[in-house]
């Protein structure tokens, strides 16, 4: 095996992290009899040689040897190798198609691809890889009929990607559907058929008709019929969503109890990196644990239902109706996966989510701990929209631990069973996010005992009414940190943020101490966040004014970011404009003056906070507002705050086009429009258009809380202007009447 492997000069090729000399060793380790060795090699291959789906020259050069492993029926880990082959081939074909679609001269692109294919070793990554997997299509057809079920699962998707003869591919897929005994493999066959139909229009009509026949066949397994329904919807753009969802709900109700224990045996996935406890800060370990949970699938129909939700897209009422049925499944694993889908729907789309949130809250009483934990995590992610579940959250946090151990109520925060601990902590965070002080006892347990205290710190700032009990504990925690240890920086920053949010006088002295310690140690990120906390204390922090002033002076001891934070804090603790403006105005210069060039947004924001007293900045604000991008938006908003109605036309001429061009700017534009009052009348159509959007804005870094505040501000401006609010289309995606009916 691997003849010729060492004849290749791997040192002349590169992967994501450098030269590819390690590839031969990785390939040999993929065939090792030791599972740990294979797993480590596979993880490294995905990480470096097939990094985030990339296909390098060394990736393509590995393919013949990966095929050798895949074709050895006795090779351990064979299914994982085939899955890797399919991933590489799919990435290569997608990349090649993208380049051809976007090439200025398609003929030149085709010629380049042909040249690359002529000489096997002259290709650059994906063209050669795409050619090779297509040439080996017969091998994948053989893998798809193997005795090993996992091998078949890995190979079936290749039938829709690499077999050039579409009719042959269709015939093989039909054979596989008839031959496969398991639901997972059958659903893969149907999904692969849809992929083939979407890639090859000549088989689309046949595929759609076949899906229809399968759906109408009452003798078939309801899971197969559900798969046919979803894949047909995927292939028919103008499908009837309401009818499809009603049919899907009916088929879900017919689902038998799972024959296999999907609850404890999630479907295989690409290896996830692991971090050993104690090897990294607690919040980093928790993030990787969440990543691992996100990659797990607990029900054989989850991938199918995920596809259906993608097809339904912004049809919130239909998706809510589907989720209501998913959440009522007898399969605990299906409920876990449905809770994650429900969270993603609420995070991505606007609408009347109250009934769905309440149903999520009902799952806090589920008999399965992981379902409870997932429900609590979903509610914590909902922020202010978790309100309908407040009673369920409060009851769970104050009364339940979910086990027969006698460790109930607040002490469940530190429960030894991981899922019970996670469920309680997430529920406490959700309750604290609503400002509900019934979360307090559990937060005090965390801060007193030190178990996952970093989570409690993040929530503490949401309970200002309990500052009397929280602030002293936060102070003790802050004073106990060794600032010289780099790993404590994030924890220090978290406590500073919480003390700033509480703004309780009991915390002021500790923040000043940390400011002094960090200044002497040159720990400028900590200095920056200490200044931010002092800013939140306002004039009560006047005792720190001399230290702040020293940092704000040009040429002060800190960096440029710290200098601007100091000027901002100086104003907040009570300095007058005559003291602050000379320090601030140079920040409007083209190079940022004493600050970083990118800090002009914060400079403009502070000038706006100073208001009319910053009139000396008006000429430079007008000049900078005429520019494009974020600086222009921030300077235009400050122009209104400083110059008032005389600047209204200029301000609107900047803000409205910028908002139309970049929806992210809405978080600056809309608050400014709210401050403008009646002068914002020309913005009414844009405000109405914003409220009519069904989505919160994909890839705009918008949280639920930010989007809900954006909508509130839009409605407030329109109400002040006497303009009608944008009404949702009664036949459109939100349909509150249908959502309510789903839960009747």
């Amino acid at each position: 095996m691997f003849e010729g492997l060492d004849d290749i000069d791997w040192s002349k090729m590169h992967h994501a992290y450098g030269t590819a000399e390690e590839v031969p060793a990785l390939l040999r380790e993929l065939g090792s009899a030791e599972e740990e060795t294979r797993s480590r090699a596979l993880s490294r291959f995905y990480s470096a040689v097939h990094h985030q789906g990339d296909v390098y020259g060394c990736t393509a050069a590995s393919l013949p040897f990966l095929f050798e492993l895949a074709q050895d029926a006795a090779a351990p880990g064979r299914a994982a190798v085939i899955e890797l082959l399919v991933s590489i081939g799919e990435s290569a074909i997608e990349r090649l198609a993208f380049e051809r679609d976007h090439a200025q001269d398609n003929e030149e692109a085709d010629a380049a691809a042909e040249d690359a294919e002529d000489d096997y070793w002259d290709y650059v990554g994906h063209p050669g890889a795409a050619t090779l997997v297509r040439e080996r299509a017969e091998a994948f057809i053989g893998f798809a009929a193997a005795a090993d079920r996992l091998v078949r699962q890995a190979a079936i998707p290749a039938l829709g990607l690499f077999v050039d003869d579409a009719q042959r591919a269709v015939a093989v897929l039909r054979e596989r559907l008839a031959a496969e005994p398991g639901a997972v493999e059958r659903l893969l066959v149907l999904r692969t058929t849809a992929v083939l139909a979407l890639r090859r229009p000549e088989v689309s009509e046949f595929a759609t008709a076949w899906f229809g026949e399968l759906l109408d066949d009452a003798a078939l397994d309801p899971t197969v019929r559900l798969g046919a329904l979803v894949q047909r919807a995927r292939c028919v753009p103008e499908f009837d969503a309401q009818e499809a969802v009603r049919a899907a709900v009916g088929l879900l109700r017919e689902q038998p109890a799972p024959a296999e224990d999907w609850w404890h045996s999630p479907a295989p996935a690409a290896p996830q990196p692991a971090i050993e406890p104690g090897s990294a800060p607690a919040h980093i370990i928790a993030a990787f644990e969440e990543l691992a949970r996100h990659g797990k699938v607990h029900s054989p129909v989850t991938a199918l239902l995920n596809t259906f939700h993608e097809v339904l897209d912004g049809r919130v009422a239909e998706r809510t109706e589907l989720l209501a049925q998913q959440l009522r499944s007898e399969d605990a694993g299906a409920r876990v996966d449905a809770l994650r889908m429900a969270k993603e729907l609420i995070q991505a789309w606007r609408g009347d989510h109250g009934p769905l949130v309440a149903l999520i809250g009902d799952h806090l009483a589920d008999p399965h701990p992981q379902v409870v934990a997932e429900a609590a995590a979903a509610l914590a992610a909902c922020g202010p929209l978790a309100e309908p579940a407040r009673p369920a959250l409060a009851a769970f946090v104050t009364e339940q631990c979910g086990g027969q151990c006698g460790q109930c109520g607040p002490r469940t925060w530190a429960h030894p069973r991981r899922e019970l601990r996670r469920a309680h902590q997430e529920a406490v965070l959700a309750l604290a996010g609503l400002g509900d002080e019934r979360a307090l006892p559990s937060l005090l347990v965390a801060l007193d005992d030190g178990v996952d205290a970093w989570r409690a710190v993040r929530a503490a700032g949401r309970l200002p009414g309990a500052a009397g009990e929280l602030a002293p504990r936060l102070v003790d925690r802050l004073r106990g940190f060794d600032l010289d240890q780099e790993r404590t920086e994030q924890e220090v920053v978290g406590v500073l943020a919480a003390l700033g949010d509480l703004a309780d006088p009991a915390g002021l002295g500790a923040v000043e101490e940390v400011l002094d310690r960090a200044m002497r140690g040159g720990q400028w990120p900590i200095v920056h966040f200490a200044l931010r906390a002092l800013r939140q204390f306002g004039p009560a922090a006047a005792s720190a004014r001399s230290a702040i002033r020293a940092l704000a002076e040009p040429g002060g001891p800190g960096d440029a970011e710290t200098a601007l934070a100091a000027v901002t804090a100086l104003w907040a603790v009570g300095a007058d404009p005559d003291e602050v403006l000379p320090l601030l105005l140079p920040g409007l210069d083209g190079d940022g003056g004493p600050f970083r060039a990118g800090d002009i947004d914060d400079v403009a924001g502070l000038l706006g906070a100073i208001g009319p007293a910053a009139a000396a900045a008006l000429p430079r604000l007008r000049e900078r507002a005429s520019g494009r991008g974020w600086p222009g938006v921030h300077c235009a908003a400050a122009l209104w705050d400083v110059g008032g109605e005389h600047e209204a036309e200029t301000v609107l001429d900047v803000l409205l086009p910028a908002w139309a061009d970049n929806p992210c700017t809405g978080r600056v534009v809309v608050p400014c429009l709210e401050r403008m009052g009646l002068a914002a009348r020309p913005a009414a159509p844009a405000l109405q258009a914003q409220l009519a959007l069904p989505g919160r804005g994909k890839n705009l870094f918008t949280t639920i809380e930010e989007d809900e505040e954006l909508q509130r501000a839009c409605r407030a401006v329109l109400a002040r202007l006497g303009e009608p609010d944008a009404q949702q289309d009664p036949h459109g995606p939100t349909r509150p009447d249908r959502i309510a009916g789903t839960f009747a």
Side-chain angles (χ1 to χ4, degrees):
M1 185 175 284
F2 297 154
E3 183 179 352
L5 177 63
D6 295 323
D7 295 336
I8 298 170
D9 189 351
W10 297 94
S11 66
K12 291 184 178 179
M13 291 183 269
H14 291 76
H15 57 45
Y17 300 110
T19 58
E21 286 107 326
E22 67 176 310
V23 171
L26 291 178
L27 289 168
R28 290 188 171 98
E29 288 172 359
L30 286 173
S32 169
E34 299 294 329
E35 182 177 355
E36 184 177 348
T37 301
R38 294 197 309 273
S39 177
R40 184 173 59 246
L42 186 65
S43 180
R44 177 61 180 174
F45 204 101
Y46 273 105
S47 172
V49 189
H50 187 36
H51 178 73
Q52 296 182 355
D54 285 341
V55 178
Y56 308 94
C58 66
T59 321
S62 302
L63 288 176
F65 308 106
L66 291 173
F67 270 106
E68 283 190 49
L69 280 173
Q71 289 171 320
D72 182 357
R78 185 183 179 204
V81 173
I82 294 172
E83 189 175 4
L84 175 59
L85 280 167
V86 173
S87 178
I88 293 170
E90 183 175 15
S91 295
I93 288 172
E94 287 180 353
R95 174 69 182 273
L96 199 58
F98 176 86
E99 290 186 355
R100 287 184 173 177
D101 288 345
H102 291 79
Q104 291 183 352
D105 188 333
N106 285 336
E107 292 183 2
E108 288 183 9
D110 290 341
E114 289 174 5
D115 289 344
E117 292 165 6
D118 286 342
D119 188 340
Y120 185 80
W121 293 113
D122 283 346
Y123 58 65
V124 180
H126 49 277
T131 298
L132 195 147
V133 292
R134 284 176 171 142
E135 289 174 348
R136 303 288 185 95
E138 286 297 325
F140 288 108
I141 291 174
F143 298 153
D148 187 329
R149 180 184 179 191
L150 293 180
V151 168
R152 298 199 307 276
Q153 287 182 18
I156 287 170
L159 304 180
L161 296 168
F162 309 145
V163 181
D164 287 332
D165 185 341
Q167 297 304 323
R168 172 92 192 282
V170 166
V172 173
L173 288 166
R174 287 184 68 109
E175 291 172 5
R176 293 295 348 130
L177 186 69
E180 289 293 351
V184 174
E185 294 76 31
R186 290 182 174 188
L187 293 177
L188 275 171
V189 168
L190 295 176
R191 186 179 73 182
T192 301
T193 303
V195 169
L196 180 65
L198 292 169
R199 288 182 57 244
R200 305 289 293 272
E202 65 268 30
V203 301
S204 178
E205 185 176 348
F206 160 78
T208 304
W210 186 39
F211 292 145
E213 292 171 10
L214 295 172
L215 175 60
D216 293 338
D217 188 348
L220 281 176
D221 183 326
T223 302
V224 174
R225 295 175 64 201
L226 180 63
L229 169 70
V230 171
Q231 302 304 341
R232 185 177 68 170
R234 191 177 171 195
C235 295
V236 180
E238 301 301 325
F239 72 100
D240 186 326
Q242 293 182 27
E243 179 183 340
V245 168
R246 281 195 296 268
V249 167
L251 290 167
L252 285 172
R253 288 173 179 160
E254 294 179 30
Q255 293 288 316
E260 300 171 77
D261 192 1
W262 282 92
W263 177 249
H264 294 293
S265 303
Q272 296 288 347
I275 294 184
E276 292 295 326
S279 64
H283 67 281
I284 298 295
I285 295 174
F288 272 87
E289 288 177 348
E290 179 58 32
L291 179 63
R293 276 192 293 269
H294 185 76
K296 288 183 179 178
V297 174
H298 300 84
S299 167
V301 296
T302 291
L304 176 64
L305 291 170
N306 269 325
T307 297
F308 199 19
H309 280 285
E310 291 171 6
V311 172
L312 290 168
D313 200 31
R315 299 175 177 95
V316 173
E318 285 77 11
R319 291 181 64 180
T320 300
E321 184 176 354
L322 180 62
L323 282 166
Q325 181 58 41
Q326 291 177 242
L327 290 168
R328 295 186 178 107
S329 172
E330 294 182 7
D331 179 5
R335 296 198 297 277
V336 168
D337 296 339
L339 286 163
R340 292 178 187 167
M341 293 183 208
K343 176 184 70 174
E344 290 165 2
L345 174 69
I346 295 167
Q347 288 176 323
W349 298 97
R350 297 169 177 174
D352 179 11
H353 296 301
L356 181 58
V357 169
L359 183 57
I360 294 172
D362 292 343
H363 284 70
L364 294 173
D366 195 279
H368 290 273
Q370 192 167 342
V371 176
V372 177
E374 209 60 50
L379 293 171
C382 286
L385 297 187
E387 182 62 41
R390 185 195 289 258
L393 283 165
F396 178 76
V397 166
T398 58
E399 300 171 11
Q400 298 178 346
C401 79
Q404 305 298 319
C405 62
Q407 190 170 356
C408 298
R411 302 217 64 80
T412 315
W413 179 278
H415 200 287
R417 289 182 60 187
R418 177 176 301 205
E419 289 302 334
L420 297 182
R421 183 171 72 247
R422 177 177 175 242
H424 184 85
Q425 290 183 5
E426 294 286 4
V428 168
L429 298 180
L431 205 56
L434 296 172
D436 195 313
E437 292 187 14
R438 285 174 287 189
L440 179 62
S442 296
L443 298 182
L444 297 182
V445 166
L447 293 173
D448 290 342
D449 295 352
V451 177
D452 292 332
W454 64 276
R455 291 185 186 272
V457 167
R458 291 184 176 184
R462 307 303 293 267
L463 301 176
E469 293 187 79
L470 289 167
R473 289 171 167 86
L474 292 170
V475 165
D476 289 344
R477 188 165 183 79
L478 187 62
R479 286 176 169 152
F481 286 125
D482 180 356
L483 301 189
D484 292 329
Q485 291 190 12
E486 185 177 345
R487 283 176 52 176
T488 67
E489 182 177 301
Q490 286 299 316
E491 291 191 80
V492 173
V493 165
V495 176
L496 287 170
L499 286 171
D501 290 337
L502 295 175
D504 186 271
L508 181 57
V511 175
E512 292 186 53
E513 289 173 19
V514 166
L515 176 64
D516 180 63
R517 288 164 58 196
M519 285 174 60
R520 285 188 279 109
Q523 291 138 331
W524 302 117
I526 293 177
V527 170
H528 178 84
F529 281 96
L531 290 168
R532 179 179 293 184
L534 291 171
R535 184 178 75 204
Q536 292 174 276
F537 279 92
S543 57
R545 186 166 166 175
S546 60
I548 296 172
R549 174 76 202 207
L551 289 166
E553 289 285 355
D559 56 18
E561 184 179 12
T562 300
L564 181 55
V567 176
T568 306
L570 192 63
W571 169 255
V573 303
D576 60 46
D578 291 339
E579 184 177 3
V580 173
L581 285 174
L583 300 170
L584 192 61
L585 289 176
L588 290 177
D589 294 340
D591 60 358
F595 313 126
R596 300 179 306 176
D599 285 337
I600 188 171
D601 299 354
D602 293 325
V603 171
L606 181 51
L607 288 168
I610 295 171
L618 284 172
R620 274 184 275 189
L621 282 173
R622 291 190 196 100
E623 180 183 352
R624 297 309 298 264
S626 64
R628 296 179 60 83
W630 281 101
V633 170
H634 283 275
C635 288
L639 191 59
W640 167 263
D641 294 324
V642 176
E645 293 190 8
H646 294 295
E647 308 291 344
E649 184 176 354
T650 301
V651 170
L652 291 173
D653 284 347
V654 173
L655 295 186
L656 297 185
W659 191 18
D661 183 55
N662 180 3
C664 289
T665 60
R667 61 177 179 261
V668 177
V669 173
V670 175
C672 182
L673 295 174
E674 190 173 15
R675 297 193 298 271
M676 291 178 72
L678 296 179
R681 185 171 298 282
L687 293 162
Q688 291 166 332
Q690 168 59 224
L691 290 173
L693 294 175
R696 300 191 190 280
K698 294 180 180 178
N699 303 319
L700 297 183
F701 307 100
T702 303
T703 66
I704 289 176
E705 199 163 19
E706 289 169 341
D707 183 64
E708 290 296 310
E709 172 57 23
L710 183 70
Q711 293 179 70
R712 182 211 61 76
C714 287
R715 292 190 176 96
V717 177
L718 290 171
R720 184 180 301 168
L721 297 175
E723 296 283 349
D725 191 348
Q727 296 296 318
Q728 293 289 349
D729 179 357
H731 303 291
T734 56
R735 290 293 304 281
D737 57 316
R738 290 198 58 234
I739 291 176
T742 298
F743 299 88

